[in-house]
Amino acid sequence: MEQELDPSLPCSQRLLSAILAMEPSECLISHARECGGGSITEQVQQFIWHHCLSSPGDFHVPYLKNFLKKLIAQIEFDHGYVLDSLYELYALYMTSCKDDSLEKGDVRISKRISFLFPDGCSELQSCPHSRVLVFPLQCSRNMLEGGTGCSIWKPGLFLSEFILSHPELFSNKTCFEVGSGVGLIGLCLAHVKASKVILSDGDLSTLVNMKFNLEMNHLNVEAGMRQRNNDQNMVKCLYLPWESASVSQLQDIRADVVLGADVIYDPVYQPHLVRVLAILLNPMNLEYCRQHASCKGISPNIKHENCEHNHEHAIDISHSRFKASHNDDSYSLPKEAPVAYISYVIRNIETFNYFMSLGKQAHLDIVDLTDSLKPLNLLCYMQSYNQASVRLLRITGNNKNS
């Protein structure tokens, strides 16, 4: 009997993390090959069995069934030996899990997102002693099912890495997230000891799922804006549609840091989002907010993604308030000045340029930090996520009215 694969090895951690995060089967097989030096050895199979399959718990059974099918097929194709336990478990899944019954089941699944800190991070405030930080999350089974707010999107993963890589930007500060989704960013903020974490969303089903995730990770949830107690594990959750958020409601938040992941993809909601950001980041200058209180008079001639676009209203990034900066001095802000960090993927350049034009009208200074303040690669096992595909903006208020 071969000695069991060491779970502390980086390749073992990547394989286990990929399974816990329910990465595609091809990703798992790639990590399994890496652990076996190019082939899926019996030693690797034993590791998969002992650490992932023998006690599946709340794993999504159809996912494990599909993975086992492809794993066994790959080992047989390579003329390798398949453990009897893997054959037996797959046979059990074949008889007990019918494909046509999947659509009738719950659309939610449980994933575990693991952040793997590399060597040399022991001094980083956010790095745990084990160098592995794991958050269980309930998500939609499919990104297009159960509400998009219950899915984990790439900009949310990027912003989570950013928070954990630069905890000094968030520690001991009041942090407010617009459009909080599954709650992963809120969990990272709590981990780096933000003094107050306030999460919001305009969808009630998303809020219910987010509250479940926070409590599953041992955080207490408070609804509304009542006076906070001294519980360091307390997180506030707000139902806050951007279009109906009042000036006084937003001013009461008094955020030091505002965060948003993948919130600028829809031009229909951008005027409302920019109004919210203008109030949060520039509370002493509400002229723009009064002028655009109902967001009337702003009608982009832009269609949704993957449709034809009219370029008449497209704004060249180079002529907007977009400042690509590589100077560390550009990050120096007065402590009292609120700042926003927005992560996004450009799906449509006209949509992005429209957001930039609205930001200019609202007297917001927008700086691209993508190349100058990179996060650590803490999700190296996720082949479905490419950190380089996500951009990061820093947005601050500008008291100048011109």
Side-chain angles (χ1 to χ4, degrees):
M1 181 71 66
E2 294 183 83
Q3 185 177 3
E4 184 177 345
L5 194 66
D6 186 353
S8 66
L9 292 174
C11 64
S12 303
Q13 291 182 341
R14 289 191 289 269
L15 173 57
L16 178 57
S17 298
I19 294 176
L20 295 176
M22 297 182 63
E23 283 288 279
S25 297
E26 292 74 15
C27 171
L28 306 186
I29 291 173
S30 174
H31 286 305
R33 285 188 177 281
E34 180 188 6
C35 289
S39 61
I40 307 174
T41 63
E42 294 178 45
Q43 185 184 31
V44 174
Q45 294 177 55
Q46 290 168 356
F47 176 83
I48 294 173
W49 170 254
H50 289 143
H51 293 272
C52 309
L53 301 180
S54 59
S55 301
D58 56 359
F59 267 109
H60 189 53
V61 171
Y63 170 79
L64 294 182
K65 174 187 172 184
N66 182 63
F67 167 51
L68 269 176
K69 177 182 179 180
K70 294 186 177 181
L71 178 68
I72 292 171
Q74 186 62 60
I75 298 171
E76 291 177 339
F77 181 80
D78 294 337
H79 306 289
Y81 175 81
V82 180
L83 294 183
D84 290 340
S85 55
L86 299 186
Y87 276 129
E88 292 168 0
L89 184 59
Y90 180 61
L92 175 63
Y93 287 159
M94 285 289 291
T95 57
S96 63
C97 179
K98 300 297 183 182
D99 293 337
D100 58 2
S101 67
L102 299 183
E103 300 302 322
K104 302 177 183 178
D106 192 347
V107 296
R108 302 294 168 81
I109 55 176
S110 293
K111 295 185 178 184
R112 295 172 181 82
I113 304 302
S114 305
F115 295 94
L116 307 181
F117 288 79
D119 292 337
C121 290
S122 58
E123 300 301 319
L124 194 64
Q125 172 192 334
S126 56
C127 181
H129 179 71
S130 64
R131 300 216 316 271
V132 179
L133 179 64
V134 183
F135 293 124
L137 294 170
Q138 178 177 266
C139 312
S140 294
R141 178 158 53 90
N142 185 294
M143 282 190 175
L144 301 180
E145 297 174 351
T148 57
C150 297
S151 298
I152 303 176
W153 300 93
K154 293 179 182 178
L157 295 172
F158 182 96
L159 201 52
S160 298
E161 287 184 303
F162 180 71
I163 293 168
L164 296 175
S165 300
H166 302 283
E168 70 282 356
L169 298 177
F170 310 95
S171 177
N172 299 316
K173 295 184 180 179
T174 296
C175 297
F176 173 68
E177 185 183 3
V178 292
S180 301
V182 297
L184 179 61
I185 291 171
L187 290 169
C188 291
L189 290 171
H191 178 74
V192 301
K193 302 188 184 311
S195 61
K196 182 185 291 186
V197 178
I198 307 171
L199 308 179
S200 70
D201 208 283
D203 180 77
L204 289 174
S205 64
T206 298
L207 279 172
V208 170
N209 187 70
M210 178 173 63
K211 180 177 182 293
F212 177 87
N213 285 333
L214 296 172
E215 292 176 342
M216 183 166 54
N217 284 275
H218 312 296
L219 293 177
N220 298 321
V221 180
E222 178 182 338
M225 289 299 295
R226 298 186 298 274
Q227 183 66 36
R228 180 186 175 180
N229 57 33
N230 294 323
D231 186 353
Q232 293 299 311
N233 290 324
M234 180 67 71
V235 175
K236 292 180 184 290
C237 292
L238 300 178
Y239 174 65
L240 192 72
W242 300 335
E243 61 271 24
S244 61
S246 68
V247 172
S248 60
Q249 187 179 17
L250 294 169
Q251 286 181 317
D252 285 345
I253 293 173
R254 299 181 182 180
D256 299 310
V257 183
V258 180
L259 302 106
D262 210 20
V263 292
I264 63 176
Y265 68 91
D266 190 341
V268 173
Y269 292 102
Q270 285 188 11
H272 305 297
L273 172 63
V274 170
R275 184 185 72 90
V276 168
L277 292 175
I279 297 172
L280 291 170
L281 300 178
N282 207 7
M284 301 307 295
N285 179 12
L286 299 179
E287 182 63 25
Y288 173 86
C289 305
R290 284 191 289 267
Q291 291 176 356
H292 300 85
S294 63
C295 294
K296 294 180 180 179
I298 304 178
S299 54
N301 194 5
I302 301 174
K303 295 183 180 180
H304 288 282
E305 321 302 340
N306 302 322
C307 299
E308 294 181 358
H309 314 286
N310 188 319
H311 293 257
E312 179 181 353
H313 296 280
I315 296 177
D316 190 337
I317 294 177
S318 62
H319 293 98
S320 71
R321 219 176 259 273
F322 189 91
K323 303 175 182 178
S325 174
H326 302 278
N327 188 342
D328 289 341
D329 292 337
S330 66
Y331 310 138
S332 299
L333 295 171
K335 288 185 177 180
E336 65 275 9
V339 58
Y341 297 102
I342 305 293
S343 59
Y344 67 99
V345 173
I346 294 183
R347 300 179 177 88
N348 180 318
I349 190 61
E350 285 84 5
T351 300
F352 175 74
N353 284 337
Y354 177 56
F355 174 79
M356 298 302 298
S357 71
L358 292 176
K360 184 176 181 179
Q361 293 175 45
H363 310 296
L364 297 176
D365 283 324
I366 304 177
V367 179
D368 183 7
L369 297 184
T370 307
D371 297 325
S372 51
L373 202 61
K374 291 181 178 295
L376 297 169
N377 185 6
L378 305 178
L379 300 168
C380 53
Y381 61 90
M382 279 192 179
Q383 296 182 5
S384 63
Y385 161 65
N386 179 11
Q387 191 184 85
S389 67
V390 185
R391 310 292 296 177
L392 179 68
L393 299 178
R394 188 200 68 190
I395 307 177
T396 56
N398 185 344
N399 286 315
K400 298 178 182 178
N401 290 316
S402 59

